[in-house]
Amino acid sequence: MPELQSCARLLVEWFRRHARVLPWREGAYNPYKILVSEFMLQQTQVGTVIPYFERWMARWPDLNSLAAADEPEALKLWEGLGYYSRCRNLLKAARAMVKAGYTCPPASVEELHAFPGVGGYTAGAIASIGYDLPVPAVDGNVERVISRLLSIEEPSGSAALRHKVAEAVSAMLDGVSPREFNQALMDLGAMVCTPSRGGVPFCGECPWEKSCRAHETGRERELPLPRQRAPISQEDAWGFLAVSPSQEGLLLHHRSNKGLWADMWEIPWFTRNGEFWEDFDAWRRSYGLELQLDRDSLREVGGTSFSFTTHHVRAWVVVCTIKNMPMGEEWGMFKFNEIDNLSLPAPSRKFLSCLKEEK
Ligand code: SF4
């Protein structure tokens, strides 16, 4: 078994020579910058995040300014990063921190954990990078690197793997700067000990080449063991562009404040079992929706597909003119130029693209 603390020292030495230049690492470490960057980095590549992070900091440079921010403006600035609940939670967390009397995210992992959207990894990253406290910050990258170093035979994403990796990282933090070590792990995972798909890790460039169990046994590409995935369900759907009689506006549906794409306006879509009119009637009835359509105006403008959680959806996109505006706060008629300024879920953007490509 490799000697953990000497591995930690080797990695920190490597980091001092090879650390990535990232905007949230510039100048003195600022826990607010770490909070924002970690929210943005969840499920998103560093290269994609950097311009969003820079725009965000120019607009809301500290916790107080973010706590006073307008949610629609924040969502607009977030558009393209996806997973919008992260943006809402970041705003909620900033407001809750300011309400609790903080001008900067707190240092305690337990306190951080209590704020919306702050999971164990994010709390560990803020405490260790922002405040240099000896706390592990274990995400998928760290799991991969450590499971290879120590040849841990547990599936990716499993509680057992996370627990074993967190234990190993905690032991390694003794005697090095937690700020440097946790960032070094992140950089090693991003640049050297990369995922097996599409290639092999660059073991020849790794400070752990001589101590790594997976490298010693030639199992770099097998570890971590594959994730035990929930089965993917396939669905067919209609993307429904319901235009106003003047052809200037589009009917949007306001999603509930829970679950995926919570609180967002979207272009309606519903299950496709076969013929459009039967499916439309079933959907309309499910909402108790009084919506009359000009049946002769129905036309198909293209097809697209999208995925969310464990669903993959193929969508047939149709346009139809409506004869009346449905009642209820969850329905709204928006002009096309207004829609351009809304943050919409990814499927809605895809449906709109079909219409634009047709024109
Ligand atoms: Fe990863 Fe290879 Fe380094 Fe082991 S030696 S930690 S497999 S890059």
Side-chain angles (χ1 to χ4, degrees):
M1 186 63 66
E3 209 278 293
L4 293 180
Q5 283 164 18
S6 81
C7 285
R9 285 191 295 277
L10 274 177
L11 183 61
V12 168
E13 281 166 24
W14 172 87
F15 178 69
R16 289 175 184 165
R17 292 193 304 276
H18 299 284
R20 290 175 293 177
V21 176
L22 299 171
W24 46 92
R25 292 178 179 173
E26 283 168 11
Y29 278 92
N30 175 341
Y32 169 68
K33 288 187 181 177
I34 306 303
L35 171 80
V36 174
S37 63
E38 289 301 338
F39 266 74
M40 289 185 168
L41 286 164
Q42 291 163 17
Q43 321 275 350
T44 310
Q45 302 275 331
V46 165
T48 307
V49 163
I50 288 174
Y52 283 88
F53 176 84
E54 288 175 334
R55 284 195 292 272
W56 192 277
M57 283 299 146
R59 182 70 188 89
W60 300 294
D62 53 37
L63 194 68
N64 278 322
S65 59
L66 180 59
D70 202 27
E71 186 176 287
E73 187 188 356
L75 285 169
K76 188 67 199 157
L77 208 145
W78 196 278
E79 193 174 287
L81 273 180
Y83 301 96
Y84 292 89
S85 58
R86 292 180 298 168
C87 177
R88 288 198 183 86
N89 281 336
L90 176 55
L91 231 54
K92 283 185 199 159
R95 286 172 184 159
M97 286 174 191
V98 168
K99 197 171 169 201
Y102 293 109
T103 53
C104 212
S108 145
V109 166
E110 289 71 31
E111 277 183 80
L112 285 164
H113 220 322
F115 292 109
V118 182
Y121 167 76
T122 305
I126 295 168
S128 63
I129 303 172
Y131 294 99
D132 210 14
L133 293 173
V135 180
V138 179
D139 68 352
N141 275 315
V142 172
E143 280 180 0
R144 180 176 65 254
V145 176
I146 299 294
S147 68
R148 287 171 175 169
L149 174 71
L150 303 178
S151 201
I152 301 174
E153 305 269 344
E154 301 286 355
S156 286
S158 65
L161 179 59
R162 187 137 300 201
H163 177 72
K164 288 180 182 177
V165 169
E167 261 189 349
V169 171
S170 296
M172 293 168 111
L173 285 170
D174 196 14
V176 288
S177 153
R179 167 179 289 152
E180 285 185 302
F181 179 74
N182 278 348
Q183 291 186 97
L185 268 181
M186 294 171 188
D187 284 13
L188 192 75
M191 298 191 290
V192 178
C193 194
T194 48
S196 303
R197 61 177 185 279
V200 285
F202 303 96
C203 299
E205 295 168 30
C206 181
W208 290 343
E209 186 187 6
K210 293 195 169 61
S211 38
C212 174
R213 291 290 304 276
H215 183 58
E216 186 187 325
T217 53
R219 300 191 62 219
E220 302 92 322
R221 297 185 70 171
E222 291 166 34
L223 293 174
L225 298 180
R227 182 180 293 269
Q228 288 166 343
R229 290 190 182 280
I232 298 276
S233 76
Q234 301 280 346
E235 283 177 39
D236 287 348
W238 297 102
F240 180 44
L241 296 155
V243 292
S244 63
S246 67
Q247 306 292 301
E248 288 175 351
L250 198 58
L251 181 72
L252 298 187
H253 172 239
H254 192 242
R255 292 182 68 95
S256 77
N257 60 2
K258 292 205 173 64
L260 190 66
W261 302 309
D263 252 342
M264 294 178 87
W265 286 99
E266 68 171 356
I267 293 172
W269 55 278
F270 49 87
T271 303
R272 179 184 190 268
N273 288 318
E275 202 260 332
F276 174 82
W277 292 110
E278 277 179 25
D279 294 337
F280 169 73
D281 272 339
W283 171 71
R284 191 174 56 80
R285 279 197 302 275
S286 73
Y287 276 94
L289 190 64
E290 292 296 327
L291 180 61
Q292 306 297 323
L293 302 181
D294 173 0
R295 289 185 160 238
D296 294 338
S297 68
L298 180 74
R299 68 181 198 281
E300 198 170 313
V301 290
T304 186
S305 63
F306 55 92
S307 298
F308 61 97
T309 58
T310 58
H311 301 270
H312 180 74
V313 180
R314 289 187 306 172
W316 281 251
V317 183
V318 295
V319 181
C320 197
T321 304
I322 61 174
K323 289 181 169 172
N324 68 310
M325 184 61 205
M327 305 286 284
E329 284 183 355
E330 73 268 42
W331 302 99
M333 183 59 71
F334 289 78
K335 295 212 159 118
F336 283 98
N337 58 357
E338 291 174 322
I339 290 171
D340 285 340
N341 292 323
L342 284 177
S343 52
L344 294 176
S348 298
R349 290 266 164 233
K350 291 190 168 185
F351 301 155
L352 274 179
S353 298
C354 291
L355 184 62
K356 285 178 184 160
E357 277 163 24
E358 188 211 39
K359 286 176 178 170

PDB file of all heavy atoms in Angstrom, residues 115-126:
ATOM      1  N   PHE A 115     -26.889  25.129   4.016  1.00  0.00           N
ATOM      2  CA  PHE A 115     -27.412  26.091   3.037  1.00  0.00           C
ATOM      3  C   PHE A 115     -27.862  25.374   1.765  1.00  0.00           C
ATOM      4  O   PHE A 115     -27.305  24.327   1.399  1.00  0.00           O
ATOM      5  CB  PHE A 115     -26.354  27.154   2.718  1.00  0.00           C
ATOM      6  CG  PHE A 115     -26.066  28.063   3.879  1.00  0.00           C
ATOM      7  CD1 PHE A 115     -24.870  27.991   4.566  1.00  0.00           C
ATOM      8  CD2 PHE A 115     -27.032  28.977   4.303  1.00  0.00           C
ATOM      9  CE1 PHE A 115     -24.623  28.811   5.657  1.00  0.00           C
ATOM     10  CE2 PHE A 115     -26.792  29.803   5.389  1.00  0.00           C
ATOM     11  CZ  PHE A 115     -25.585  29.722   6.067  1.00  0.00           C
ATOM     12  N   PRO A 116     -28.864  25.935   1.073  1.00  0.00           N
ATOM     13  CA  PRO A 116     -29.417  25.262  -0.113  1.00  0.00           C
ATOM     14  C   PRO A 116     -28.345  24.969  -1.173  1.00  0.00           C
ATOM     15  O   PRO A 116     -27.528  25.833  -1.490  1.00  0.00           O
ATOM     16  CB  PRO A 116     -30.427  26.284  -0.663  1.00  0.00           C
ATOM     17  CG  PRO A 116     -30.783  27.139   0.495  1.00  0.00           C
ATOM     18  CD  PRO A 116     -29.564  27.201   1.366  1.00  0.00           C
ATOM     19  N   GLY A 117     -28.359  23.757  -1.667  1.00  0.00           N
ATOM     20  CA  GLY A 117     -27.479  23.379  -2.776  1.00  0.00           C
ATOM     21  C   GLY A 117     -26.046  23.091  -2.379  1.00  0.00           C
ATOM     22  O   GLY A 117     -25.214  22.771  -3.228  1.00  0.00           O
ATOM     23  N   VAL A 118     -25.702  23.239  -1.094  1.00  0.00           N
ATOM     24  CA  VAL A 118     -24.312  23.007  -0.663  1.00  0.00           C
ATOM     25  C   VAL A 118     -24.209  21.568  -0.148  1.00  0.00           C
ATOM     26  O   VAL A 118     -24.595  21.266   0.975  1.00  0.00           O
ATOM     27  CB  VAL A 118     -23.873  24.010   0.426  1.00  0.00           C
ATOM     28  CG1 VAL A 118     -22.418  23.756   0.807  1.00  0.00           C
ATOM     29  CG2 VAL A 118     -24.054  25.438  -0.059  1.00  0.00           C
ATOM     30  N   GLY A 119     -23.705  20.691  -0.989  1.00  0.00           N
ATOM     31  CA  GLY A 119     -23.516  19.297  -0.602  1.00  0.00           C
ATOM     32  C   GLY A 119     -22.159  19.102   0.052  1.00  0.00           C
ATOM     33  O   GLY A 119     -21.396  20.065   0.256  1.00  0.00           O
ATOM     34  N   GLY A 120     -21.855  17.858   0.349  1.00  0.00           N
ATOM     35  CA  GLY A 120     -20.610  17.550   1.053  1.00  0.00           C
ATOM     36  C   GLY A 120     -19.375  17.996   0.285  1.00  0.00           C
ATOM     37  O   GLY A 120     -18.438  18.562   0.859  1.00  0.00           O
ATOM     38  N   TYR A 121     -19.381  17.779  -1.027  1.00  0.00           N
ATOM     39  CA  TYR A 121     -18.211  18.159  -1.820  1.00  0.00           C
ATOM     40  C   TYR A 121     -18.019  19.676  -1.812  1.00  0.00           C
ATOM     41  O   TYR A 121     -16.916  20.179  -1.570  1.00  0.00           O
ATOM     42  CB  TYR A 121     -18.346  17.648  -3.266  1.00  0.00           C
ATOM     43  CG  TYR A 121     -17.323  18.282  -4.161  1.00  0.00           C
ATOM     44  CD1 TYR A 121     -15.998  17.872  -4.118  1.00  0.00           C
ATOM     45  CD2 TYR A 121     -17.655  19.356  -4.991  1.00  0.00           C
ATOM     46  CE1 TYR A 121     -15.026  18.493  -4.888  1.00  0.00           C
ATOM     47  CE2 TYR A 121     -16.697  19.977  -5.763  1.00  0.00           C
ATOM     48  CZ  TYR A 121     -15.387  19.539  -5.709  1.00  0.00           C
ATOM     49  OH  TYR A 121     -14.438  20.165  -6.456  1.00  0.00           O
ATOM     50  N   THR A 122     -19.112  20.407  -2.076  1.00  0.00           N
ATOM     51  CA  THR A 122     -19.007  21.872  -2.159  1.00  0.00           C
ATOM     52  C   THR A 122     -18.590  22.449  -0.803  1.00  0.00           C
ATOM     53  O   THR A 122     -17.738  23.341  -0.743  1.00  0.00           O
ATOM     54  CB  THR A 122     -20.355  22.471  -2.617  1.00  0.00           C
ATOM     55  OG1 THR A 122     -20.711  21.829  -3.836  1.00  0.00           O
ATOM     56  CG2 THR A 122     -20.269  23.963  -2.841  1.00  0.00           C
ATOM     57  N   ALA A 123     -19.165  21.919   0.280  1.00  0.00           N
ATOM     58  CA  ALA A 123     -18.784  22.397   1.612  1.00  0.00           C
ATOM     59  C   ALA A 123     -17.293  22.133   1.854  1.00  0.00           C
ATOM     60  O   ALA A 123     -16.562  23.004   2.343  1.00  0.00           O
ATOM     61  CB  ALA A 123     -19.629  21.705   2.678  1.00  0.00           C
ATOM     62  N   GLY A 124     -16.835  20.940   1.471  1.00  0.00           N
ATOM     63  CA  GLY A 124     -15.418  20.602   1.648  1.00  0.00           C
ATOM     64  C   GLY A 124     -14.522  21.504   0.812  1.00  0.00           C
ATOM     65  O   GLY A 124     -13.448  21.934   1.261  1.00  0.00           O
ATOM     66  N   ALA A 125     -14.956  21.813  -0.397  1.00  0.00           N
ATOM     67  CA  ALA A 125     -14.145  22.666  -1.279  1.00  0.00           C
ATOM     68  C   ALA A 125     -14.048  24.078  -0.703  1.00  0.00           C
ATOM     69  O   ALA A 125     -12.966  24.687  -0.698  1.00  0.00           O
ATOM     70  CB  ALA A 125     -14.756  22.692  -2.687  1.00  0.00           C
ATOM     71  N   ILE A 126     -15.166  24.616  -0.214  1.00  0.00           N
ATOM     72  CA  ILE A 126     -15.138  25.986   0.332  1.00  0.00           C
ATOM     73  C   ILE A 126     -14.259  26.026   1.592  1.00  0.00           C
ATOM     74  O   ILE A 126     -13.418  26.911   1.752  1.00  0.00           O
ATOM     75  CB  ILE A 126     -16.566  26.481   0.643  1.00  0.00           C
ATOM     76  CG1 ILE A 126     -17.377  26.601  -0.650  1.00  0.00           C
ATOM     77  CG2 ILE A 126     -16.525  27.839   1.365  1.00  0.00           C
ATOM     78  CD1 ILE A 126     -18.874  26.801  -0.440  1.00  0.00           C
TER      79      ILE A 126
END
